[in-house]
Amino acid sequence: MGRALIIGAGGVASVVVHKCCQNPDVFDEICIASRTLEKCEALKNKLEGGRTKIRTARVDADHADEVIALIRAFKPDIVIHVALPYQDLAIMDACLATGVPYLDTANYEPPDVARFEYGWQWAYRERFEKAGLTAVLGCGFDPGVTGVFSAYAMKHHFDEIHEIDILDANAGDHGYPFATNFNPEINIREITANGRYWENGEWVETLPLAVKRVYDFPEIGPKDMYLLYHEELESLALNIKGLKKIRFWMTFSDRYIMHLRVLENVGMTSIEPIEIQGVKISPLQFLKAVLPDPASLGSRTKGKTNIGCIYRGLKDGKQKTYYVYNVCDHEACCAEVGSQAISYTTGVPAMIGAMMILKGHWKMPGVHNVEEFDPDPFMDALNQYGLPWQENFSPALVE
Ligand code: NDP
């Protein structure tokens, strides 16, 4: 059916590649392109021999001209960007220049400012519209499936959604005292930022990790979870009409929080470059280099993740609650694709989003967040491709 250019060769990209190869009726040919060619070659060597043809290429996606040259050589039908958020705009520029649809899993962040928001990418809307091209933003799990869940809740269960709580629990244990489950630099930038939630048309700011609740998660049990700002809050607050409140919660163990606080207190989470023996480097980039590579956690991690959304609103004039979530087992993911569940829960939706575009289910010229598309074929594909979801109509609520 189509050819996909997959940019990046880290934890998430590895899952995307595995899943595309499991789906050769849709992905005839893929090209794995990243900064370090050896990582692309390693993936190719592991997976070639099936019906999906695999090519590799070296690309520095910070430079749009390199991506343009690669697109012209490979002629993909979709670009799946699963490198880092810093490359979003350069890759979008390349897609515009070559007329290819775009999909990513994280919104743009300038390397030198720890701030993420959709504004930079939404500014491309008109150009993608005029070019007749679809760009899908944030198609991992959160953001991604959380937006699809929201569109599904709105379509099938509510007339009005008033409150959303997004709950992201990871009960996995990798045996290290401290490691992050995806790119440490991006992860720590997100967690050490101020918390923020949206209520009655306004953003309410909190200090980092200042708001804590305990929630008894299905199949995982009670966990401490903390209020964070997360990028899908921005688009859902806009796209779910009538919404009064939306919050995002993520679980962290006491051990994780203790390490993070120490690292913060000694200045290791700063992105401000410092000079050591004539070399300028940010402490956070140095920290990334000494922490375990998230892609290496797969074989060590045991336990489950549970990510989902609790909705409160009105149906036929009556109050209604609805909880939809996925439980994913780290060891089962590793047995299937060699990665832990955080990479798996991000990579599977990225493959599904690309499939939605290639099959023509999601075609809407412009730059869009996932909740703007029809959720039904995506929800079916989640069940089919390894992320089955469950529902509860009387869940415990987060107060
Ligand atoms: P990794 O750090 O494991 O992998 C990143 C990959 O991108 C590496 O292969 C890296 O190459 C490559 N890369 C970095 N810079 C460039 C560049 N300039 N040009 C080409 N390739 C480059 O990250 P993850 O796989 O964990 O995360 C990938 C993305 O997924 C991130 O944007 C992250 O924010 C997002 N994510 C989204 C989630 C969601 O639910 N929506 C959840 C988790 C992650 P090299 O090997 O040379 O360093």
Side-chain angles (χ1 to χ4, degrees):
M1 180 177 280
R3 298 144 77 85
L5 172 60
I6 299 163
I7 302 185
V12 175
S14 167
V15 176
V16 174
V17 170
H18 276 82
K19 284 288 171 180
C20 289
C21 291
Q22 285 178 14
N23 195 358
D25 289 338
V26 173
F27 298 94
D28 304 324
E29 188 167 6
I30 58 173
C31 176
I32 313 163
S34 190
R35 196 166 48 180
T36 311
L37 183 64
E38 294 72 37
K39 291 192 187 173
C40 310
E41 292 288 339
L43 276 169
K44 179 181 169 179
N45 292 339
K46 189 172 169 199
L47 285 160
E48 79 183 335
R51 278 168 50 213
T52 303
K53 276 196 229 142
I54 306 177
R55 291 202 218 174
T56 60
R58 206 205 83 83
V59 71
D60 182 345
D62 287 329
H63 304 288
D65 53 344
E66 286 196 27
V67 184
I68 290 171
L70 178 59
I71 292 177
R72 293 209 167 118
F74 178 59
K75 300 190 175 44
D77 302 297
I78 171 94
V79 173
I80 306 174
H81 163 34
V82 275
L84 296 179
Y86 314 131
Q87 286 89 48
D88 289 9
L89 301 186
I91 299 176
M92 288 175 83
D93 284 330
C95 285
L96 274 175
T98 51
V100 181
Y102 168 90
L103 178 140
D104 69 26
T105 63
N107 68 13
Y108 176 68
E109 260 185 77
D112 48 353
V113 193
R115 194 177 81 202
F116 49 96
E117 59 179 53
Y118 281 114
W120 284 289
Q121 291 181 279
W122 285 342
Y124 281 65
R125 246 181 216 151
E126 219 174 291
R127 276 174 280 168
F128 271 79
E129 255 166 36
K130 278 199 181 129
L133 288 176
T134 304
V136 179
L137 305 186
C139 197
F141 205 106
D142 45 339
V145 177
T146 50
V148 175
F149 281 169
S150 300
Y152 184 80
M154 200 61 227
K155 183 171 173 181
H156 297 285
H157 294 297
F158 290 92
D159 298 322
E160 287 173 36
I161 293 177
H162 294 157
E163 293 186 28
I164 305 178
D165 279 299
I166 302 172
L167 275 56
D168 178 333
N170 179 9
D173 184 4
H174 41 59
Y176 288 117
F178 183 81
T180 62
N181 290 297
F182 68 98
N183 186 283
E185 198 186 323
I186 305 294
N187 187 217
I188 290 173
R189 279 163 69 126
E190 175 177 285
I191 295 164
T192 53
N194 274 351
R196 206 183 334 158
Y197 64 97
W198 194 81
E199 187 164 32
N200 297 324
E202 281 179 17
W203 290 105
V204 183
E205 214 146 290
T206 67
L207 288 171
L209 306 179
V211 183
K212 174 178 157 184
R213 299 278 188 279
V214 178
Y215 194 81
D216 192 356
F217 286 89
E219 297 187 44
I220 281 185
K223 289 272 162 215
D224 291 343
M225 60 181 194
Y226 294 82
L227 188 141
L228 295 187
Y229 179 64
H230 220 243
E231 60 197 61
E232 67 264 53
L233 301 186
E234 187 184 9
S235 72
L236 288 169
L238 207 71
N239 291 329
I240 303 294
K241 303 292 174 228
L243 192 65
K244 298 190 168 89
K245 186 174 182 181
I246 180 164
R247 299 177 294 188
F248 182 95
W249 305 89
M250 193 178 272
T251 64
F252 298 107
S253 65
D254 286 346
R255 193 169 65 173
Y256 187 97
I257 302 278
M258 178 194 75
H259 278 82
L260 193 68
R261 292 219 195 283
V262 172
L263 291 167
E264 258 189 305
N265 287 342
V266 298
M268 281 307 297
T269 60
S270 166
I271 63 167
E272 253 348 283
I274 51 166
E275 192 170 317
I276 303 172
Q277 295 172 350
V279 179
K280 275 199 154 182
I281 184 157
S282 83
L284 184 54
Q285 274 176 344
F286 176 79
L287 179 62
K288 173 183 185 283
V290 294
L291 284 174
D293 177 359
S296 71
L297 300 177
S299 56
R300 308 175 50 108
T301 309
K302 295 180 177 28
K304 292 177 178 172
T305 61
N306 178 331
I307 320 176
C309 304
I310 299 175
Y311 301 93
R312 293 183 240 193
L314 290 179
K315 180 73 180 172
D316 300 328
K318 289 195 191 112
Q319 292 287 339
K320 183 173 178 182
T321 56
Y322 175 59
Y323 184 19
V324 54
Y325 59 90
N326 161 262
V327 175
C328 197
D329 185 292
H330 286 285
E331 285 176 283
C333 295
C334 187
E336 185 194 325
V337 300
S339 303
Q340 32 82 356
I342 306 300
S343 301
Y344 190 90
T345 53
T346 310
V348 173
M351 180 282 287
I352 294 175
M355 178 172 78
M356 293 295 111
I357 291 178
L358 291 178
K359 284 190 161 179
H361 294 313
W362 283 13
K363 189 165 196 280
M364 203 193 306
V367 174
H368 301 286
N369 296 85
V370 289
E371 63 272 16
E372 296 174 66
F373 295 92
D374 180 8
D376 292 354
F378 198 110
M379 291 293 275
D380 289 344
L382 286 171
N383 285 329
Q384 196 183 343
Y385 290 100
L387 294 176
W389 41 276
Q390 301 177 57
E391 302 175 307
N392 179 347
F393 291 90
S394 52
L397 299 175
V398 186
E399 297 306 339

